[in-house]
């Protein structure tokens, strides 16, 4: 896998997207898809704004990237601030994503190693997955968002 400094730099870009989501009243999750060092797509959660439960940052990034690149994402890496849920993990597998890097683990709904792992040998395609990159910064942003709601 790429070096940790490179992974952290892309997670920082995803954190910027997550902050924009938070500012808009969305759960602060951001995602960045990279191919050969080039950012192909960036996204943030848009569930509330779009009134659509499928508008997770990961789903938007994957969809935009596949449209731009015209096919599977085997040579791409998705960086996301929170461990993907079952919907997003399944989309990563179905998009034939090469690598997935995420920040905070999600013990409640994470499907890339925490609650279960849909990215590793469950289906015909496995996604190389790395979690816990800038975990504290990602967790802090989420914690502050939910504390402000209470």
């Amino acid at each position: 896998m790429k070096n940790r400094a490179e992974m952290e730099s892309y997670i920082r870009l995803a954190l910027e997207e997550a902050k924009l989501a938070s500012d808009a009243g969305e759960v602060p999750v951001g995602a960045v898809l990279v191919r050969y060092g080039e950012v192909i797509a960036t996204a943030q959660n848009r569930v509330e704004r779009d009134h659509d439960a499928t508008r997770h940052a990961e789903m938007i990034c994957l969809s935009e990237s596949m449209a731009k690149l015209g096919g599977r994402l085997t040579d791409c890496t998705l960086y996301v601030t929170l461990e993907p849920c079952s919907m997003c993990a399944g989309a990563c597998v179905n998009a034939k994503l090469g690598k997935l890097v995420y920040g905070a683990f999600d013990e409640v709904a994470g499907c890339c190693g925490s609650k279960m792992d849909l990215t590793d040998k469950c289906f015909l395609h496995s996604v190389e997955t790395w979690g816990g990159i800038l975990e504290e910064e990602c967790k802090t942003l989420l914690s502050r968002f939910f504390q402000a709601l209470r």
Side-chain angles (χ1 to χ4, degrees), residues 55-77:
R55 299 293 282 167
H56 288 194
E58 303 96 305
M59 298 293 287
I60 296 167
C61 244
L62 291 170
S63 178
E64 288 180 6
S65 297
M66 290 183 80
K68 284 181 186 175
L69 299 175
R72 304 295 183 200
L73 304 176
T74 55
D75 51 358
C76 298
T77 303

Side-chain angles (χ1 to χ4, degrees), residues 4-5 17 26 32 35 41 43 59 68 76 81-82 85-86 94 104 108-109 112 116 118 126 128 132-133 141 145 150:
R4 187 162 183 101
E17 289 293 319
E26 297 281 351
V32 175
R35 180 181 185 212
M59 298 293 287
K68 284 181 186 175
C76 298
T81 57
L82 179 64
C85 67
S86 59
N94 285 319
V108 175
C112 299
M116 63 178 58
L118 298 178
S126 292
E128 182 181 338
I133 307 302
L141 183 61
F145 176 80
R150 295 181 190 134

Side-chain angles (χ1 to χ4, degrees), residues 2 33-38 40 65 69-79 95-99 125:
K2 302 171 187 322
L33 192 125
V34 177
R35 180 181 185 212
Y36 304 126
E38 177 188 354
I40 303 299
S65 297
L69 299 175
R72 304 295 183 200
L73 304 176
T74 55
D75 51 358
C76 298
T77 303
L78 179 65
Y79 297 87
K96 304 277 193 270
L97 182 69
K99 295 176 184 69
H125 178 76

Side-chain angles (χ1 to χ4, degrees), residues 19-52:
K19 289 173 188 169
L20 293 172
S22 181
D23 292 345
E26 297 281 351
V27 174
V29 177
V32 175
L33 192 125
V34 177
R35 180 181 185 212
Y36 304 126
E38 177 188 354
V39 174
I40 303 299
T42 62
Q44 58 198 250
N45 273 2
R46 295 189 55 91
V47 172
E48 300 303 324
R49 284 178 279 182
D50 294 351
H51 306 289
D52 183 344

